Amino acid sequence: MIPQSDLLAMDAAMAPLWPRLEGARIFMTGGTGFIGRWMLAALARAPVSVTVTLLTRDPAAFARREPDLARRFALVAGDITRFVPPQGAFTHVIHGATDASAALRDSDPRRMFDTILGGTRAALDVAVDRGARFVFMSSGAVYGVQPWDLAHVGEDWMGGPDPLDPRSSYAEGKRAAETLCAIYRSQFGLDTVSARIFALLGPLLSLDTHFAAGNFIRDAMAGRIVRVEGSGQAVRSYLYAADLAIWMWTLTLTGTPGASYNVGSEEAVSIADLAHRTAAVLGGPGVEILGRPDPGWNPGRYVPATARIRRDLGVAATVDLDTAIRRTAASHGWTA
């Protein structure tokens, strides 16, 4: 459940912008995931008339998990790789459907790549057909492995994933999808804007996926030692979900056509330090560093520079990491 304090914070931040959505008709993919649910929770409280159609593989499952959102917004069944576009006019297409599963990346990287690129093309086609603004949820993974001496990676950095490594299927898929957005902008005059999203934290986050922050919270809450599988030297940053929702809606409504913006926190922390902070904040018994080889695609830094979006769109990260840890744990039943 999203805390009332976060709902009120989103209300206050978005109040000047919501009137721009009056009468909007939105087609959204990926709306049933972590990012989409936060965006919809914010929108559900907006004092404007908006219709939203959500594409989801399992409308019934979403209705069970989020009954209030399911009643507020229209659900249509379909997979992003094969769906029949809903009828009617749309002013915005927000595309976030993807599969960020490490298991899929390792077992079927071709499917991961095809889903990202093919799904983006299908969503772009809907936007062109309806003359809608297209908002793409990209990823900070498009930069590839960030050099250790680059503290914060900006949108103008021209690095990239290793194209010879199948583990780059997610990163290369998102990178190619951004190029596809640029093609549709140039060739068809489509209004596009992209969000390069980095690591996130907050209520509604699953604690049982491959993301270290959630796993650490899960173990500390259970009174177990927080175990770091690798060396713990990798560096990450975590944007709190309420800030994320504000940034994403602000980008949707005011982002410069054709631009890509980093969406993330600049508060860098090593995975080892994150484990120790999580144990300390939640009262866990301690931390163990196992030092095993890191199986992930990026054992180094993954921290954005956010000067562009903060300057151009006027957003800010307002929730620090320790508070984000506490609120995420509290949403799963932890009490101080």
Side-chain angles (χ1 to χ4, degrees):
M1 181 176 294
I2 296 176
Q4 183 69 11
S5 60
D6 287 338
L7 295 172
L8 294 174
M10 293 189 293
D11 290 346
M14 291 305 303
L17 293 180
W18 284 137
R20 300 189 185 203
L21 268 187
E22 179 63 45
R25 294 178 57 85
I26 299 171
F27 177 57
M28 188 174 191
T29 78
T32 60
F34 176 73
I35 298 172
R37 289 159 69 196
W38 270 91
M39 290 182 68
L40 292 173
L43 181 61
R45 298 166 59 88
V48 291
S49 176
V50 180
T51 62
V52 180
T53 301
L54 301 177
L55 181 71
T56 173
R57 284 175 290 193
D58 193 340
F62 181 69
R64 288 192 298 270
R65 184 169 59 175
E66 296 284 358
D68 291 341
L69 294 181
R71 284 191 292 268
R72 173 68 175 79
F73 304 115
L75 306 178
V76 295
D79 186 282
I80 189 57
T81 61
R82 51 185 185 281
F83 69 94
V84 177
Q87 297 297 313
F90 292 110
T91 57
H92 300 76
V93 172
I94 302 175
H95 175 50
T98 190
D99 194 330
S101 156
L104 181 62
R105 178 201 66 203
D106 295 338
S107 66
D108 196 349
R110 183 182 67 174
R111 177 183 164 198
M112 172 169 277
F113 186 86
D114 287 347
T115 298
I116 295 171
L117 198 57
T120 302
R121 179 169 181 174
L124 282 163
D125 285 339
V126 174
V128 168
D129 183 60
R130 313 301 165 86
R133 168 163 243 221
F134 186 81
V135 180
F136 177 50
M137 294 186 199
S138 186
S139 169
V142 300
Y143 298 113
V145 177
Q146 182 178 339
W148 281 105
D149 60 355
L150 183 62
H152 299 84
V153 63
E155 292 91 345
D156 57 353
W157 192 68
M158 291 294 103
D162 179 359
L164 301 181
D165 186 349
R167 292 180 302 173
S168 297
S169 58
Y170 177 81
E172 287 286 12
K174 290 291 189 179
R175 188 177 173 90
E178 280 200 42
T179 301
L180 198 57
C181 290
I183 290 170
Y184 272 67
R185 177 169 171 75
S186 172
Q187 189 168 341
F188 304 109
L190 185 64
D191 176 2
T192 68
V193 64
S194 297
R196 293 173 179 166
I197 303 169
F198 283 72
L200 308 167
L201 199 56
L204 307 184
L205 182 74
S206 172
L207 305 185
D208 294 312
T209 59
H210 65 282
F211 298 115
N215 296 167
F216 294 167
I217 291 170
R218 175 199 63 200
D219 292 342
M221 284 177 56
R224 297 193 292 264
I225 289 176
V226 175
R227 286 187 169 83
V228 180
E229 293 291 325
S231 67
Q233 294 177 328
V235 176
R236 300 291 186 264
S237 66
Y238 297 88
L239 185 67
Y240 186 64
D243 287 332
L244 164 74
I246 293 165
W247 288 32
M248 288 300 300
W249 279 119
T250 303
L251 179 151
T252 297
L253 296 172
T254 68
T256 300
S260 286
Y261 296 94
N262 284 345
V263 172
S265 168
E266 292 193 354
E267 185 183 354
V269 60
S270 73
I271 294 298
D273 287 344
L274 175 65
H276 284 288
R277 286 175 72 167
T278 302
V281 166
L282 302 183
V287 173
E288 181 180 8
I289 310 291
L290 300 180
R292 295 170 179 162
D294 193 323
W297 67 273
N298 185 0
R301 295 186 68 84
Y302 188 59
V303 183
T306 59
R308 175 182 292 179
I309 192 169
R310 288 185 288 110
R311 178 193 66 232
D312 293 355
L313 305 189
V315 297
T318 66
V319 178
D320 63 45
L321 179 58
D322 287 357
T323 302
I325 292 169
R326 290 190 192 95
R327 291 185 187 176
T328 305
S331 72
H332 288 275
W334 174 81
T335 55

